[in-house]
Amino acid sequence: MLAVVTFTDPRKTSLSLERERALLRKHEELINSLEKEGFDVLDVNGALNKRECLQKGSNFGIESKEEVFEASKLINSKDVSGVILGLWHWTESNLVTLLAKEVNKPLLLYADDDISWAGSTCITSVGASLWESALNYHAVHHTRIKGDVEKVKAWGRAAEAVSKLSRKSLLLWGAPYTLGMEHLMDDLPRLKRFVGDFLILGQYLIVKRADRMLNDERVERFFEWLKEKSKIKFDSSMLTREVLKRQIALYLAAKEIYEEYGDEVAGVSIKCQPELSEVYGTTACLIPAFFPFGMDAFGDKEVIPATCEGDVKGTISSVMLFYLSGKPPLFGDIKYVDDELILVANCGASSLYYARLSENPEENLRATLIQGQCQGKSGGALTYRTPPSQFTVARLIRIDGRYYLLYFLGEGVEISDEIEGKLKWGKQWPHTAVKNPLNKNTFLSVMGANHLSMVPGDFREEIKFIAKLWGVKAVNLGDEIEVREFLNEI
């Protein structure tokens, strides 16, 4: 939920009904625009009966410290992610400063481009006072926007994504780090600046429950459903019918455990290697395939961002993109880079949504081939080639204890027969190709992980706002100046 609060000039000699009617109109136009975009909006002035005040010849805008306290109590009593301050005309800065102190939430100072009123004066005065007082993080790091409602919406999506993630947990099966990759380790207490909590469970919980499920009717039902909806290429060792049923049981066990936590969990990660892939003997590829997908054998289901190898920062990146877009996030390895393209191909599976990018789940399933893995003792990989589209690609990284949010807008590339013919290792994996925003050496120099997350659409503006709300530096890999400054900094 976003709160919208409009202020006005509290001086009694400055009462102007024409001005107050203009403030009401601007206030309502902004709220209507946000609600049409799907935002849940708390109309603070409306809740404080300020429209009735205007009808009686008084001010519509917030005009006193007493009203600020009332507004603050109302905001704090609701599930508000951020506060948009309507500064369409002059107000006294200390009123806004008091509200910033009382609510301590992300703040956006906004006015339209109407030359009739002193919005620019108000934004600069209030903004300077918030900096001067430095009451809390949000006062110092507020955002100012004038005359760009689309940018306000981007800020709203960012504030809501940050708020949701700050209240949710990440469920990690198996503790990092995987295969000696130190960058998969992290300072979990410090990451609580971004995430509500971490639930770390051993993979044995999945294995034990999966073994009990092997003769369960649900496994057989899922097996028959997969045969009907997808193409399957069985073999005599890596992908037998028994192996696929074990993979199904692993997925169903993980799903059951996830459901026991109710609505608490925002995303999951499975370590897999080597405990499942080598010791247990079957990879858990149906987890990253079906958790971030809107259907399984039992019907429609919620999308749950999922990553592999216990990648905490990768899971945060995926959940962030999911909250911004509402689309299943893709997660995978940076498999190949040249001056023209980046190939992302996860170790056995990524969200099946990317097989066709279709809102009809069955179309994505029909475009998927399940065949034997290229590593591990046994298991099936879910093979597809993502069709070209426009993607926002992102990755949270850490260098010497400091976090950075890397991102770029990736134009999808068709995986041609020429590219396909050159693939050898991991050819069975799902592959997605995007244009490289840099040359290969610069991209490799700047990248702080071997995993990327992405979703369809352009969410660059939202990511910049998220970085500001988190207090980390955002680096747009599509901007050579930003990349050069980043490399010089590190």
Side-chain angles (χ1 to χ4, degrees):
M1 177 185 291
L2 300 177
V4 176
V5 191
T6 287
F7 286 81
T8 193
D9 191 335
R11 294 173 292 185
K12 299 305 179 185
T13 56
S14 299
L15 177 61
S16 164
L17 292 180
E18 180 185 5
R19 180 196 67 214
E20 294 305 305
R21 292 189 189 102
L23 297 186
L24 170 61
R25 185 182 70 254
K26 296 171 188 294
H27 179 89
E28 290 181 337
E29 286 174 352
L30 177 59
I31 289 176
N32 290 338
S33 181
L34 291 169
E35 289 180 337
K36 285 180 181 177
E37 193 72 13
F39 288 103
D40 187 11
V41 179
L42 172 62
D43 177 357
V44 176
N45 294 61
L48 298 183
N49 299 314
K50 295 297 288 182
R51 286 178 179 80
E52 289 77 0
C53 292
L54 178 56
Q55 290 173 357
K56 295 176 182 178
S58 299
N59 284 333
F60 169 75
I62 301 297
E63 58 179 326
S64 68
K65 290 183 179 179
E66 290 74 21
E67 287 185 341
V68 169
F69 283 122
E70 288 184 51
S72 301
K73 288 178 183 178
L74 177 62
I75 292 168
N76 288 332
S77 71
K78 304 292 183 180
D79 186 17
V80 170
S81 303
V83 181
I84 301 173
L85 306 170
L87 305 179
W88 322 96
H89 186 62
W90 173 258
T91 192
E92 293 181 3
S93 301
N94 63 340
L95 296 178
V96 181
T97 302
L98 178 59
L99 185 135
K101 178 181 179 181
E102 291 295 311
V103 303
N104 193 18
K105 293 182 183 294
L107 301 174
L108 169 62
L109 317 187
Y110 184 72
D112 58 7
D113 256 331
D114 188 351
I115 198 172
S116 303
W117 307 103
S120 297
T121 309
C122 194
I123 285 179
T124 51
S125 173
V126 167
S129 295
L130 289 171
W131 280 348
E132 185 73 30
S133 60
L135 294 164
N136 51 49
Y137 179 87
H138 297 303
V140 175
H141 298 281
H142 64 268
T143 294
R144 308 176 194 181
I145 298 175
K146 191 167 189 286
D148 189 341
V149 176
E150 292 308 308
K151 206 167 185 179
V152 173
K153 295 173 184 176
W155 180 87
R157 283 187 285 270
E160 297 212 323
V162 167
S163 178
K164 288 176 184 177
L165 187 51
S166 73
R167 301 175 187 188
K168 296 273 192 172
S169 298
L170 300 185
L171 175 54
L172 311 176
W173 283 295
Y177 55 104
T178 303
L179 303 181
M181 291 183 279
E182 287 94 345
H183 68 277
L184 299 182
M185 303 176 78
D186 221 303
D187 184 347
L188 297 189
R190 190 175 173 200
L191 276 177
K192 287 193 176 183
R193 295 163 54 195
F194 312 144
V195 180
D197 204 355
F198 298 92
L199 305 170
I200 302 177
L201 305 178
Q203 294 178 103
Y204 178 66
L205 295 180
I206 297 177
V207 169
K208 186 175 181 180
R209 194 174 300 211
D211 282 348
R212 291 202 306 265
M213 284 184 174
L214 283 175
N215 296 318
D216 194 303
E217 179 273 334
R218 290 173 294 171
V219 172
E220 192 64 35
R221 178 176 169 183
F222 204 114
F223 180 79
E224 295 299 326
W225 178 81
L226 272 182
K227 288 198 302 179
E228 176 189 348
K229 301 297 183 183
S230 301
K231 298 180 286 291
I232 305 176
K233 185 180 178 181
F234 290 110
D235 57 48
S236 60
S237 57
M238 288 301 289
L239 186 63
T240 64
R241 284 164 171 76
E242 290 71 26
V243 165
L244 182 55
K245 288 179 181 180
R246 281 204 302 273
Q247 288 189 295
I248 292 169
L250 288 171
Y251 164 74
L252 292 177
K255 184 182 176 185
E256 267 193 4
I257 294 169
Y258 164 82
E259 289 173 345
E260 289 169 3
Y261 288 91
D263 194 39
E264 179 184 350
V265 175
V268 305
S269 188
I270 181 75
K271 184 170 181 278
C272 190
Q273 301 188 72
E275 295 90 344
L276 297 182
S277 61
E278 300 290 337
V279 180
Y280 181 67
T282 304
T283 58
C285 294
L286 267 61
I287 292 174
F290 279 101
F291 262 68
F293 190 57
M295 171 186 278
D296 65 14
F298 306 99
D300 294 341
K301 56 177 283 294
E302 65 175 320
V303 170
I304 306 121
T307 69
C308 302
E309 297 176 344
D311 188 344
V312 179
K313 290 186 285 293
T315 310
I316 292 173
S317 304
S318 293
V319 173
M320 173 194 73
L321 290 172
F322 172 60
Y323 282 155
L324 289 178
S325 67
K327 300 290 186 182
L330 181 137
F331 171 86
D333 285 288
I334 301 168
K335 188 165 181 277
Y336 174 77
V337 178
D338 63 22
D339 290 336
E340 302 300 323
L341 62 82
I342 301 163
L343 271 181
V344 177
N346 202 37
C347 175
S350 291
S351 169
L352 296 184
Y353 172 73
Y354 290 82
R356 276 294 176 269
L357 294 171
S358 173
E359 298 307 314
N360 179 354
E362 295 200 5
E363 289 185 13
N364 300 303
L365 288 164
R366 283 195 296 269
T368 301
L369 168 66
I370 306 175
Q371 59 182 322
Q373 257 280 22
C374 65
Q375 60 187 34
K377 284 191 176 180
S378 73
L382 291 93
T383 311
Y384 60 75
R385 305 293 182 251
T386 303
S389 187
Q390 187 181 67
F391 303 100
T392 298
V393 186
R395 175 70 201 195
L396 183 68
I397 68 169
R398 184 167 64 150
I399 303 173
D400 194 21
R402 183 178 178 185
Y403 290 96
Y404 298 84
L405 189 51
L406 309 184
Y407 70 100
F408 66 94
L409 187 65
E411 290 294 333
V413 176
E414 186 79 41
I415 298 178
S416 64
D417 291 341
E418 180 183 1
I419 295 173
E420 189 73 36
K422 294 178 180 178
L423 298 178
K424 293 288 186 291
W425 174 74
K427 187 172 183 175
Q428 304 95 324
W429 300 351
H431 283 64
T432 305
V434 295
K435 290 182 181 178
N436 190 347
L438 304 163
N439 64 61
K440 61 185 177 185
N441 289 318
T442 304
F443 182 86
L444 292 173
S445 297
V446 79
M447 188 48 58
N450 62 309
H451 297 145
L452 291 173
S453 300
M454 66 177 78
V455 289
D458 184 356
F459 297 95
R460 289 174 293 177
E461 202 69 55
E462 287 86 345
I463 287 176
K464 286 191 289 185
F465 286 132
I466 284 178
K468 186 174 183 178
L469 292 170
W470 277 348
V472 305
K473 183 171 183 176
V475 182
N476 181 3
L477 302 192
D479 187 322
E480 291 185 6
I481 295 175
E482 285 191 25
V483 171
R484 193 181 314 120
E485 290 175 350
F486 171 69
L487 290 174
N488 288 338
E489 180 180 326
I490 63 174

